[in-house]
Amino acid sequence: MTPVRISDALRAVVFEPTRDLTEALDEFYAPDYTHRSDGETVDRAGFVEMVTRVRAQIAGGTVRVLDELRDGLRYAERHVFEITMVDGSTARGEIAIFGSYAEDGRFRHLSETGFDLPA
């Protein structure tokens, strides 16, 4: 098992989308993946809908990992992102992620929380 990293997932799925979305999602997220953000948990299908919507709004972005920890199947990470939207506006924020891996090294569940940072 070679565990995946959220920074690589963000680059492949949203910030530098040079591959087919389904292919990129399959590389990083297990079939039974669940995602929790803003108090709402979605299954893999709901996550795909969310990513599809977000991907259409983002022209590009970067991610800088501040902390990352793996312990068996547990995962935690904190990063700063900067994005440029298709309308030219920008956003910057800090996200903390806690989750777990499936046995094959892909994400099984991630919970995230974060806040905006000044530009």
Side-chain angles (χ1 to χ4, degrees), residues 45-115:
F47 181 69
V48 170
E49 288 177 24
M50 179 185 72
V51 169
T52 301
R53 189 173 53 255
V54 168
R55 193 180 206 195
Q57 298 171 353
I58 295 177
T62 62
V63 59
R64 181 172 48 93
V65 175
L66 303 174
D67 300 293
E68 188 171 36
L69 175 68
R70 286 187 287 263
D71 182 19
L73 296 178
R74 293 179 294 200
Y75 180 78
E77 190 261 15
R78 186 171 63 102
H79 66 265
V80 171
F81 69 86
E82 295 185 31
I83 57 174
T84 301
M85 309 301 277
V86 294
D87 68 3
S89 63
T90 60
R92 188 169 179 252
E94 183 175 320
I95 303 291
I97 294 176
F98 303 91
S100 61
Y101 287 111
E103 293 295 329
D104 65 4
R106 294 183 289 172
F107 292 120
R108 172 165 282 142
H109 174 78
L110 294 176
S111 293
E112 68 176 22
T113 188
F115 52 90

